[in-house]
Amino acid sequence: MHPATSAGLERRHCINLIRPDCLPIALEIVWQDLRDIYDRILAREERCAMITSILANDLSFNYEQNWPAMFQEHRALIYECNNFLIKEQQYSAAPSQGKLSRKYEIVRRMWDTGVWTLAKVLYKQMPRSQPYLVEVSEYSYQMITFLYRADTAFYEDWCKFLADLAVLRHYIEQDADRSRFWRTRAAEHFSRLLERQPGEGRLYHGLAVL
């Protein structure tokens, strides 16, 4: 079995979505929707892990031929995580059920598996991967901007992700004006985080290296 597949199956076993007892009928329907979405997230995570493993180990990867289908898996994972967060807003109307997205780390997993691991692999293969890295960062920035506006419960996470993506774009942009634009965006996101986390050293460091 492929190592990435094995790790994915182990992850599925460890973080299975556990059904609460005694749900009202209305929440039962929402719960089943969440269960279905979560199953799709698990499946997408496994595929994305396999894709990044292939990219990391195949330096002759044919981007033109294989990229569209491979990136579609990452877009689908981000979409399903987004869908989970939206559906959970209905489910969390019952305070006793808590915040499932925090319990199962949906936001972190969306970022780590759907965005950042792929971005790091592509960055190591610059310059030939540059247009594909731009595509990943552009799509991710748009989706996370939407979540930043729609789900304030994860405000600090969204700001951090947007800052990291903006820093990435600042460094990979070939046009000087575009690079400065993304530098400004990154500084704005770091500043928003500092309003919430005054004195946080890594944020000052992030601003300093821009």
Side-chain angles (χ1 to χ4, degrees), residues 56 58 65 92 154 167:
D58 184 1
Q65 180 178 348
S92 295
F154 295 95
V167 170

Side-chain angles (χ1 to χ4, degrees), residues 130-187:
Q130 198 266 353
Y132 308 101
L133 184 52
V134 168
E135 184 179 358
V136 170
S137 60
E138 189 76 34
Y139 177 81
S140 302
Y141 194 91
Q142 291 174 359
M143 288 298 295
I144 293 172
T145 297
F146 168 78
L147 290 166
Y148 165 81
R149 294 168 178 165
D151 191 340
T152 57
F154 295 95
Y155 177 87
E156 293 178 9
D157 293 296
W158 306 139
C159 281
K160 178 184 180 300
F161 300 159
L162 290 171
D164 287 344
L165 287 169
V167 170
L168 176 65
R169 288 297 295 273
H170 165 58
Y171 282 118
I172 68 174
E173 282 290 348
Q174 298 175 332
D175 179 79
D177 289 338
R178 293 289 296 168
S179 180
R180 282 192 293 270
F181 169 83
W182 285 108
R183 179 182 181 276
T184 300
R185 282 294 179 88

Side-chain angles (χ1 to χ4, degrees), residues 24 48 55 59 100 105 114 116 140 149-150 155 160 193:
C48 288
L55 285 174
L59 299 180
L100 289 174
E105 299 184 297
W116 203 237
S140 302
R149 294 168 178 165
Y155 177 87
K160 178 184 180 300
L193 278 170

Side-chain angles (χ1 to χ4, degrees), residues 34 37 40 78-88 147:
L34 283 169
I37 296 168
R40 293 196 295 271
I78 295 170
Y79 171 82
E80 293 296 356
C81 290
N82 179 23
N83 203 13
F84 189 98
L85 293 169
I86 293 172
K87 180 61 66 173
E88 184 194 36
L147 290 166

